[in-house]
Amino acid sequence: MVEDPIQMVDLKKQYLRNKVAIDEAIHHCIDQSTFIKGPQVTQFERALAAYLWAEEVIACANGTDALQLAMMALDLRPGDEVIVPAFTYVATAEVIALLGLIPVMVDVDPVTFTITAQEIEKALSRKTRAVVPVHLFGQCAEMEPILQLCRSHQIYVIEDNAQAIGAHYTFSDGEVKSAGCLGDLGTTSFFPSKNLGCFGDGGAVYTNDTDLGERVRKIANHGQSQKYKHDLIGVNSRLDTLQAVILLEKLKLLDDYTAARQWAAAWYDQALADISKIEIPARASSSTHVYHQYTLKVPARDRDGLKAFLQQKQIPSMVYYPIPLAKQKAYQDLGRIVGDLAVTEELCQRVISLPMHTELSEMQLEYICQTVDDYFIDP
Ligand SMILES: *Cc1c(COP(=O)(O)O)cnc(C)c1O
């Protein structure tokens, strides 16, 4: 057994990396007592915009709100269709349903697990108004053909970038952009376990369209242009100043966090590549991978056995995601399904995510990989 218990995500150890700076920032913030709309919120928005090469970042309360704000800003109307991958976290479809829009669920690429232009094209209708590519597990969907298709049909693109902050996408002409800054609006989450996590809930919308950015900002603040003057119906969705000061400190380390994840992923890749029953995560050709998750494909009949075996050896693992969106009780009668979602169905049976975070040690990785190996030698 190894020294520390292995965790899916080790937030405590990550905090200890820059505890002094974070503690100081928190105390300063409490001293200052501007808990809502403190100057650090704007500072963080600017710092993140600079990091992402984005025109505008609007901080908000969480990643689900960020998606809702994006859709409200685009003025989508009840009955409009929004295309989403069937293999994703529920939040993506939830806000669509809440706004009276119709989620149209499409299958994903079997290699990268992300939405494709081909699947989107099959799903288009007269009512299609937007597509939400989800940059699942830390790499971008193949965006260039998606953007071309959507542009030619005048369809908005909202990137759900909750899992891929810091990833980069390279276009065929060599231009490089940040994940989330490729379409009309990008959204992200600062949930503690995300690649850039705060100490509670947080989220942001980003865009290069300053008019849209202004709309998002208004909507997030009760639709108000000036105090007590409300131009739009909005919501209350803010990032606490305390979370902003934490994020300001953690943003400085985001490149280090990403490098640590990529190092752990490379370690896994190398140690697991020779196990014939395992497919290690494939890399998309045009995107870097920031490994929000390290997700294997294993034979369906082995998946739950492997999970139980790992558990027995004190190694946590997770299945993201076990049930296709279209089969969730709340969503099964809602919206439209395109095709048979065969890839999504298969992935739900076959995927398993191993521990992935910024603090994995070589000893832990070795132990995890040895245990996976043991299972497949003698399942
Ligand atoms: C985490 C996540 C969200 C939601 O973010 P919250 O901050 O938890 O609301 C949305 N989409 C995806 C793909 C996510 O992983």
Side-chain angles (χ1 to χ4, degrees):
M1 204 32 226
V2 284
E3 78 280 36
D4 293 329
I6 298 173
Q7 301 180 48
M8 268 321 269
V9 179
D10 195 336
L11 297 175
K12 178 68 185 282
K13 243 195 206 155
Q14 190 187 56
Y15 160 62
L16 294 177
R17 275 186 190 222
N18 58 344
K19 173 180 179 356
V20 175
I22 288 181
D23 289 1
E24 229 166 67
I26 290 173
H27 283 130
H28 177 256
C29 178
I30 295 171
D31 249 8
Q32 166 200 291
S33 297
T34 317
F35 296 116
I36 298 289
K37 286 183 171 292
Q40 295 93 335
V41 178
T42 311
Q43 268 174 41
F44 170 65
E45 290 177 336
R46 294 202 175 129
L48 185 60
Y51 182 87
L52 297 167
W53 315 312
E55 285 295 325
E56 283 274 349
V57 167
I58 301 98
C60 66
N62 57 66
T64 309
D65 273 11
L67 282 162
Q68 180 172 343
L69 293 170
M71 285 180 208
M72 288 174 77
L74 291 174
D75 211 14
L76 304 183
R77 293 301 164 93
D80 287 347
E81 291 186 350
V82 181
I83 297 171
V84 297
F87 189 62
T88 183
Y89 182 57
V90 67
T92 319
E94 192 168 43
V95 297
I96 296 172
L98 281 173
L99 293 173
L101 309 167
I102 306 204
V104 175
M105 291 166 255
V106 304
D107 216 349
V108 293
D109 180 77
V111 176
T112 62
F113 314 156
T114 53
I115 199 168
T116 63
Q118 293 90 305
E119 293 300 322
I120 293 169
E121 193 155 22
K122 286 188 220 161
L124 293 175
S125 83
R126 276 184 306 108
K127 292 192 198 156
T128 310
R129 294 289 311 283
V131 178
V132 186
V134 180
H135 300 322
L136 202 72
F137 301 155
Q139 64 185 342
C140 293
E142 189 52 89
M143 288 299 286
E144 188 161 352
I146 292 175
L147 292 168
Q148 275 165 3
L149 177 74
C150 290
R151 240 175 250 134
S152 70
H153 288 86
Q154 296 181 316
I155 294 166
Y156 294 116
V157 176
I158 302 166
E159 298 166 75
D160 182 343
N161 195 39
Q163 301 189 4
I165 196 164
H168 292 121
Y169 184 86
T170 305
F171 288 84
S172 49
D173 66 0
E175 191 185 9
V176 179
K177 287 188 180 178
S178 299
C181 301
L182 306 162
D184 296 288
L185 293 153
T187 66
T188 204
S189 163
F190 306 120
F191 186 82
S193 63
K194 300 282 156 103
N195 288 35
L196 178 62
C198 60
F199 292 0
D201 273 312
V205 180
Y206 13 102
T207 181
N208 289 317
D209 180 330
T210 44
D211 291 339
L212 261 181
E214 200 176 314
R215 267 179 77 80
V216 171
R217 203 175 284 287
K218 251 190 214 178
I219 292 166
N221 187 27
H222 300 291
Q224 116 182 335
S225 53
Q226 302 159 24
K227 206 158 176 78
Y228 305 121
K229 198 161 166 293
H230 304 273
D231 300 344
L232 301 164
I233 294 176
V235 297
N236 169 17
S237 186
R238 296 183 282 237
L239 182 72
D240 294 343
T241 312
L242 267 170
Q243 301 301 346
V245 308
I246 292 160
L247 286 165
L248 270 166
E249 286 306 322
K250 290 190 73 179
L251 180 59
K252 295 178 194 163
L253 294 184
L254 181 54
D255 285 341
D256 293 346
Y257 295 154
T258 300
R261 288 174 179 275
Q262 289 169 337
W263 173 81
W267 218 103
Y268 275 135
D269 280 353
Q270 219 208 347
L272 301 174
D274 293 337
I275 304 175
S276 62
K277 285 191 174 166
I278 288 182
E279 285 176 45
I280 59 174
R283 293 275 308 273
S285 52
S286 317
S287 174
T288 61
H289 202 320
V290 297
Y291 292 100
H292 176 60
Q293 299 297 343
Y294 186 87
T295 302
L296 302 173
K297 262 205 285 187
V298 300
R301 66 178 176 284
D302 285 318
R303 200 262 309 272
D304 295 342
L306 173 62
K307 193 168 191 327
F309 186 72
L310 291 170
Q311 184 68 47
Q312 217 181 349
K313 307 279 178 187
Q314 277 78 51
I315 299 169
S317 64
M318 294 290 283
V319 173
Y320 304 112
Y321 297 92
I323 303 172
L325 212 50
K327 287 207 170 151
Q328 296 286 356
K329 189 165 174 226
Y331 292 89
Q332 58 197 1
D333 299 323
L334 201 81
R336 195 151 69 72
I337 293 168
V338 179
D340 56 7
L341 307 183
V343 176
T344 298
E345 292 283 351
E346 187 189 332
L347 291 175
C348 289
Q349 310 277 319
R350 291 188 56 192
V351 291
I352 180 164
S353 300
L354 297 180
M356 172 50 76
H357 55 80
T358 57
E359 314 302 316
L360 282 165
S361 70
E362 202 152 343
M363 221 164 129
Q364 291 178 324
L365 287 162
E366 203 174 321
Y367 175 71
I368 296 166
C369 293
Q370 186 57 53
T371 310
V372 173
D373 203 25
D374 289 348
Y375 175 81
F376 282 106
I377 286 169
D378 188 17

